[in-house]
Amino acid sequence: ITMNSMKKRLVSGLVLSAMAMSLTVGASAAEIPATRSTDDRTFAFKVTSSYQYTSSEKKEDKTAIYVYYDTGDYSAIRVTAYGKMSKDGSRVNYTELSDRSTVSYVYVPINQKTSVHNGIYEGGKSYAELGIRAKSSSSDYVAGVWSPDSTRYYTSATNTL
């Protein structure tokens, strides 16, 4: 084997390795969505006794919805977990307690990371959306974050205070 042929083999091996790596990196980057369903989304609006709604977001598994309400004068907000077939589809209530019994709404206390149990994914729906309202007839500005899917278990939301 000559020195020239060894150089050619080395160069072609390096080129093939670089191409394989770029294909692997490219494929990996393509598989990672811009916003994962476990990333926090902000909600902020004035609530009253009527529901205000978050954005509709892709629901990718059967985990609880994560909610952290951290701004407002209420000790808790009323939350309903809605499932939808599409981003603009009609809302269906899938709110559940931790024992999987269905309820109209749950309470999320201020400054407490909370799991809102739901049957959205199991019910064949692809999107989650929250309805949020005041626990009384007064109105106030509320804000926080939520995620349609969760990587952890937090305090389970209940329908009593």
Side-chain angles (χ1 to χ4, degrees):
I1 297 178
T2 67
M3 190 61 124
N4 240 359
S5 68
M6 283 179 57
K7 281 183 185 177
K8 283 182 183 178
R9 283 185 180 175
L10 180 62
V11 169
S12 65
L14 288 172
V15 168
L16 286 173
S17 295
M19 287 174 59
M21 283 180 62
S22 70
L23 286 173
T24 303
V25 170
S28 297
E31 293 169 9
I32 300 171
T35 303
R36 296 199 47 224
S37 64
T38 55
D39 291 345
D40 288 348
R41 282 103 167 133
T42 302
F43 66 85
F45 31 68
K46 185 173 186 173
V47 294
T48 62
S49 57
S50 298
Y51 277 100
Q52 300 295 315
Y53 300 96
T54 64
S55 57
S56 293
E57 301 292 340
K58 192 79 172 149
K59 181 87 171 116
E60 297 178 331
D61 60 40
K62 61 183 181 177
T63 59
I65 293 172
Y66 164 71
V67 182
Y68 183 66
Y69 155 55
D70 64 356
T71 304
D73 289 334
Y74 299 115
S75 60
I77 52 174
R78 276 176 59 165
V79 174
T80 299
Y82 292 103
K84 299 167 80 174
M85 288 299 291
S86 65
K87 206 167 184 70
D88 298 321
S90 58
R91 296 179 191 103
V92 178
N93 181 357
Y94 279 94
T95 312
E96 296 178 343
L97 298 176
S98 60
D99 67 3
R100 306 304 291 202
S101 60
T102 58
V103 292
S104 298
Y105 59 87
V106 291
Y107 289 107
V108 172
I110 193 163
N111 294 323
Q112 184 173 339
K113 293 179 178 181
T114 306
S115 291
V116 175
H117 299 280
N118 64 87
I120 295 170
Y121 187 81
E122 299 90 321
K125 305 299 185 200
S126 302
Y127 288 85
E129 180 177 291
L130 297 180
I132 299 174
R133 62 167 274 193
K135 67 176 187 169
S136 65
S137 60
S138 62
S139 65
D140 188 26
Y141 174 83
V142 299
V145 294
W146 76 287
S147 173
D149 294 310
S150 183
T151 58
R152 298 188 182 135
Y153 292 104
Y154 299 100
T155 300
S156 294
T158 66
N159 61 343
T160 58
L161 287 176

